């Protein structure tokens, strides 16, 4: 992890040619708790596996003869140009994977010109991240109903004041569920109480420990303002578990929509009728997502829900897809099934474990280059062109069940 001089893309590509190779490395080299926190899904991991199985099953039919050279991966989202149809998903406490992670993600996204989504329970404030990633910063919020949503409205005010490009509201955390692998690794309890294995892992992971010394203990930085100065880390965890999250009602989402004047994206949609509700409320975008398989392992793969949702919204909102994205092939699969762009979470966490601060830039570059190559292989000249690529997969529509 981490190198003294900055390695070139070619040097890094020889070591880590794909996102999956970074995951393999993370599994064996990252502190055990860090890998388990990032990688472990809900229940028996069936949801994370299903995301992968569903994506792998989609075939794309190439056309040859018309395309002179590889096309562009650029896209336009909410009147702004981005370099590729890939965004960094919001992740609470990525600093567990590597202290300072929020900063490394933001810097890489700004340099590469792709959206970076800071989570409200992330490890840096929205003001700090706006200074680092002024052109690409998005901000994600969970429901926060305390004092008639007072904190939520203040956070939106702060995000607006520092020029956040889009607000993402997460709908799919009506409850906190258990991720057994993270729990067994010593995380996910109501108190922070490192177990012996965690202490050993920290002591034997010099890169992680150095990042801790340089960047401090991962903390819920955005919430500090609302806590008494004397609040301990366990007070903050208790506050977060008590006050943040819970089931958003559509009426509450409508209040947030009225307040927030910039682009609004609703995250965690799987049902076409929920997608229609989001459109009716004035959402500028929706993220078709099963939270990367981290909420309940019985949820469908989000890619399997995508076609019905694309049909239901019929171009009235921007459609994003996340959950399971690991490669350019996956990104183009989602585009071919009607998504406008994709998000990825774990791919970027593994990159941090594999390459430290340099990881996110490498992951973005891999995904962008693979997307460019896949589009060219299929005869698509642009991201928009991908929607004309023929796909074949087992139809798994829910529509027939209604
Ligand atoms: C460690 C971790 C923490 C996450 N925390 C949040 C969060 O606080 N809010 C949220 O909306 N989604 C959260 N997510 C879900 C991601 O935003 C995204 O939906 C998911 O990671 C996509 O699947 P993928 O990891 O397979 O790419 C988290 C994901 C991970 C891996």
């Amino acid at each position: 992890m981490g190198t003294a001089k900055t390695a070139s893309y070619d040097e890094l590509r020889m070591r880590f040619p794909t996102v999956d190779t970074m995951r393999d490395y993370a599994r064996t080299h990252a502190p055990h708790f860090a890998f388990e926190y990032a990688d472990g899904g809900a229940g028996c991991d069936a949801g994370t596996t299903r995301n992968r199985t569903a994506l792998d099953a989609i075939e794309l039919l190439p056309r040859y003869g018309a395309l002179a050279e590889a096309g562009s991966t650029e896209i336009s989202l909410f009147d702004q140009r981005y370099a590729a149809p890939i965004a960094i998903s919001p992740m609470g406490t990525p600093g567990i994977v590597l202290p300072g992670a929020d900063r490394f993600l933001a810097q890489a996204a700004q340099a590469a010109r792709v959206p970076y989504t800071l989570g409200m329970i992330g490890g840096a404030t929205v003001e700090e991240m706006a200074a680092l990633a002024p052109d690409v910063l998005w901000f994600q919020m969970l429901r926060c109903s305390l004092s008639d949503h007072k904190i939520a409205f203040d956070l939106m005010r702060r995000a607006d004041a520092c020029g956040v490009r889009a607000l993402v509201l997460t709908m799919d955390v009506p409850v906190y569920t258990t991720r057994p692998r993270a729990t067994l690794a010593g995380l996910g309890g109501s108190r922070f109480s490192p177990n012996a294995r965690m202490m050993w892992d920290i002591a034997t992971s010099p890169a992680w420990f150095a990042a801790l010394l340089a960047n401090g203990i991962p903390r819920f930085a955005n919430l500090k303002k609302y806590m008494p100065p004397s609040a301990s880390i366990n007070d903050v965890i208790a506050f977060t578990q008590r006050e943040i999250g819970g089931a958003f009602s559509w009426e509450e989402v409508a209040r947030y929509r009225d307040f927030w004047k910039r682009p609004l994206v609703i995250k965690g949609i799987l049902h076409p009728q929920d997608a229609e509700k989001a459109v009716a409320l004035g959402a500028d975008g929706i993220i078709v997502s099963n939270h990367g398989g981290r909420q309940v392992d019985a949820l469908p793969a989000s890619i399997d829900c995508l076609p019905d949702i694309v049909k239901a919204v019929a171009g009235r909102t921007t459609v994003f897809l996340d959950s399971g994205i690991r490669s350019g092939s996956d990104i183009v699969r989602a585009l071919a099934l009607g998504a406008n762009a994709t998000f990825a979470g774990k791919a970027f966490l593994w990159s941090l474990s594999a390459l430290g601060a340099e990881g996110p830039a490498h992951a973005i570059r891999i995904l962008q280059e693979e997307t460019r190559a896949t589009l060219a292989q299929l005869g698509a000249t642009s991201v928009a062109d991908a929607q004309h690529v023929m796909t074949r997969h087992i139809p798994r529509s829910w529509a027939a069940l209604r």
Side-chain angles (χ1 to χ4, degrees):
M1 191 198 284
T3 46
K5 79 171 178 58
T6 304
S8 72
Y9 174 59
D10 267 350
E11 284 169 332
L12 294 179
R13 201 167 53 87
M14 296 308 286
R15 289 176 61 204
F16 297 113
T18 62
V19 164
D20 279 324
T21 54
M22 294 197 272
R23 179 180 185 230
D24 292 344
Y25 184 91
R27 184 201 296 279
T28 47
H29 289 73
H32 177 70
F33 65 84
F35 183 74
E36 295 298 278
Y37 168 69
D39 197 81
C44 61
D45 271 352
T48 51
T49 307
R50 189 173 302 113
N51 285 332
R52 282 303 326 150
T53 310
L55 279 162
D56 279 337
I58 298 166
E59 300 167 20
L60 303 171
L61 194 64
R63 294 297 307 272
Y64 301 119
L67 179 65
E69 58 190 39
S72 162
T73 60
E74 285 219 340
I75 52 164
S76 187
L77 296 171
F78 313 133
D79 297 326
Q80 192 181 330
R81 299 296 289 167
Y82 292 97
I86 176 76
I88 300 179
S89 293
M91 287 175 285
T93 40
I96 291 173
V97 173
L98 187 70
D102 302 86
R103 186 153 50 79
F104 306 141
L105 292 166
Q107 284 167 328
Q110 172 73 19
R113 229 171 8 99
V114 299
Y116 158 66
T117 320
L118 172 69
M120 78 185 276
I121 56 170
T125 65
V126 65
E127 292 83 3
E128 287 163 341
M129 294 299 97
L132 284 182
D135 301 321
V136 298
L137 181 63
W138 296 20
F139 185 59
Q140 172 267 344
M141 288 176 45
L142 291 153
R143 177 175 182 268
C144 181
S145 61
L146 186 66
S147 307
D148 195 27
H149 301 265
K150 201 167 144 207
I151 293 178
F153 286 110
D154 191 53
L155 279 166
M156 283 190 271
R157 216 171 282 122
R158 288 169 59 186
D160 182 55
C162 57
V164 158
R165 305 282 157 165
L167 180 71
V168 176
L169 292 186
T170 298
M171 291 289 283
D172 65 357
V173 188
V175 287
Y176 287 116
T177 57
T178 302
R179 291 163 199 137
R181 285 170 54 195
T183 307
L184 287 173
L187 297 161
S190 54
R191 301 183 64 73
F192 176 65
S193 51
N195 60 25
R197 168 104 197 240
M198 195 185 282
M199 298 306 283
W200 172 253
D201 279 339
I202 292 173
T204 55
S205 303
W208 196 96
F209 192 61
L212 179 69
L213 292 180
N215 301 294
I217 292 180
R219 64 205 165 95
F220 301 120
N222 284 303
L223 304 179
K224 203 173 160 206
K225 177 180 170 193
Y226 313 110
M227 304 287 302
S230 58
S232 69
I233 185 159
N234 285 325
D235 293 336
V236 182
I237 291 172
F239 173 84
T240 308
Q241 292 185 340
R242 201 177 56 240
E243 302 298 347
I244 311 285
F248 254 129
S249 70
W250 287 109
E251 289 71 27
E252 288 169 335
V253 174
R255 283 183 65 194
Y256 287 37
R257 166 72 289 187
D258 282 349
F259 187 84
W260 176 259
K261 302 301 177 206
R262 295 169 185 260
L264 180 80
V265 177
I266 312 272
K267 176 171 185 278
I269 301 289
L270 292 174
H271 197 298
Q273 288 174 6
D274 287 348
E276 301 223 31
K277 282 212 164 86
V279 172
L281 258 164
D284 301 282
I286 54 173
I287 307 179
V288 180
S289 168
N290 68 11
H291 214 100
R294 294 169 73 84
Q295 276 300 103
V296 166
D297 59 355
L299 304 188
S302 52
I303 191 77
D304 283 339
C305 297
L306 180 65
D308 283 345
I309 290 178
V310 168
K311 199 165 154 204
V313 304
R316 290 173 294 157
T317 196
T318 302
V319 179
F320 300 92
L321 182 285
D322 84 11
S323 301
I325 297 290
R326 307 278 179 273
S327 69
S329 297
D330 294 337
I331 292 169
V332 179
R333 284 168 167 139
L335 299 174
L337 290 178
N340 297 96
T342 61
F343 280 78
K346 291 189 279 289
F348 294 104
L349 298 182
W350 299 322
S351 80
L352 286 162
S353 289
L355 284 165
E358 285 185 57
H362 186 57
I364 294 168
R365 183 89 185 261
I366 288 176
L367 292 171
Q368 184 176 7
E369 292 308 321
E370 287 178 348
T371 300
R372 196 191 311 282
T374 308
L375 289 172
Q377 179 75 33
L378 294 167
T381 52
S382 67
V383 167
D385 232 13
Q387 302 207 4
H388 306 300
V389 170
M390 284 177 71
T391 62
R392 182 168 69 171
H393 68 296
I394 302 163
R396 293 163 188 246
S397 170
W398 291 85
L401 302 177
R402 282 206 296 274

